[in-house]
Amino acid sequence: AQSVTQLGSHVSVSEGALVLLRCNYSSSVPPYLFWYVQYPNQGLQLLLKYTSAATLVKGINGFEAEFKKSETSFHLTKPSAHMSDAAEYFCAVSEPQGAQKLVFGQGTRLTINP
Amino acid sequence: GAVVSQHPSWVICKSGTSVKIECRSLDFQATTMFWYRQFPKQSLMLMATSNEGSKATYEQGVEKDKFLINHASLTLSTLTVTSAHPEDSSFYICSATNQGQGYGYTFGSGTRLTVV
């Protein structure tokens, strides 16, 4: 079975500061990994995904994540936070074959302080 | 890019009535659709997976007779909450994918269901 753990249900950073959202996964097979963002009362928007190609994945809005197999991690970073980054962020894992279901982490609420 | 349209965005219904939520893939064929439920300030919980033309596969603990899922075409899946009760009030989100199109999952904008 696969699982995802997001460390920190709430992260607060100042505008312009580094954003680091942590995600660790558990999977018996090489996983596909995803980061999604959710704004209030909306669906999920894909930020980036890892599908066994380059371990450093660049996404939209200046976000990137690095797949580290030895640490079973897929942390999300952004060098400089913007007020518009305030939202809920979800890390998710799936098996690589076929249209497999996504297993989500608990989510991390990111707050940006002016 | 891939777009999934979900309707309605919000609905209020009386206890005992049924509510249908639609999820449409607008510019791709969705071979597989997923339905999630999200409680306030919580993560998404997968309810069921449906493949076009097949019966949905429900997750453990999800009542298939209460949450009816139909995926009759490659562009449309529906979730019907039957005999709704206040405890069914939640945010429901669909997701669609086509394995042959770069392996992506596209999410609908969600439906806020309130049962009074």
Side-chain angles (χ1 to χ4, degrees):
Chain A
Q2 297 177 305
S3 67
V4 172
T5 300
Q6 291 183 239
L7 299 177
S9 59
H10 188 197
V11 171
S12 182
V13 302
S14 298
E15 190 176 16
L18 171 71
V19 175
L20 170 60
L21 304 183
R22 300 178 186 274
C23 172
N24 288 90
Y25 69 90
S26 174
S27 177
S28 58
V29 298
Y32 284 359
L33 292 158
F34 307 79
W35 273 101
Y36 288 90
V37 61
Q38 184 181 34
Y39 297 97
N41 294 310
Q42 294 188 28
L44 273 66
Q45 180 184 13
L46 179 68
L47 287 175
L48 48 81
K49 63 183 178 184
Y50 166 78
T51 56
S52 74
T55 56
L56 181 61
V57 182
K58 294 186 183 299
I60 63 171
N61 300 338
F63 285 95
E64 65 180 38
E66 185 172 8
F67 172 70
K68 292 187 177 181
K69 183 179 179 180
S70 61
E71 298 177 8
T72 61
S73 69
F74 190 58
H75 301 331
L76 181 71
T77 61
K78 181 174 180 177
S80 177
H82 294 160
M83 296 300 291
S84 59
D85 295 327
E88 189 84 19
Y89 290 80
F90 292 97
C91 181
V93 63
S94 77
E95 293 186 2
Q97 306 95 329
Q100 301 295 326
K101 62 183 181 183
L102 289 172
V103 175
F104 285 90
Q106 306 93 313
T108 298
R109 181 169 300 276
L110 177 63
T111 301
I112 311 297
N113 302 313
Chain B
V3 178
V4 170
S5 175
Q6 185 174 344
H7 290 283
S9 56
W10 60 270
V11 57
I12 301 173
C13 70
K14 293 184 177 180
S15 289
T17 62
S18 296
V19 174
K20 179 183 286 187
I21 301 170
E22 292 190 349
C23 182
R24 293 181 183 272
S25 56
L26 299 185
D27 50 4
F28 69 101
Q29 293 183 326
T31 52
T32 304
M33 286 191 174
F34 305 88
W35 286 94
Y36 294 87
R37 182 173 181 177
Q38 186 178 31
F39 292 102
K41 300 187 186 301
Q42 294 189 27
S43 188
L44 283 73
M45 180 188 75
L46 180 66
M47 299 174 66
T49 302
S50 71
N51 294 297
E52 184 266 339
S54 305
K55 288 185 177 181
T57 301
Y58 289 80
E59 295 297 301
Q60 191 173 6
V62 178
E63 300 176 59
K64 59 181 64 177
D65 293 331
K66 180 166 192 60
F67 298 100
L68 301 180
I69 291 172
N70 183 280
H71 191 170
S73 77
L74 284 172
T75 60
L76 175 64
S77 176
T78 60
L79 167 66
T80 302
V81 182
T82 63
S83 186
H85 289 100
E87 57 265 31
D88 299 325
S89 298
S90 191
F91 193 59
Y92 294 88
I93 307 175
C94 69
S95 173
T97 188
N98 184 314
Q99 184 181 352
Q101 291 189 347
Y103 199 76
Y105 300 87
T106 303
F107 284 79
S109 55
T111 298
R112 172 74 58 192
L113 170 63
T114 303
V115 185
V116 298

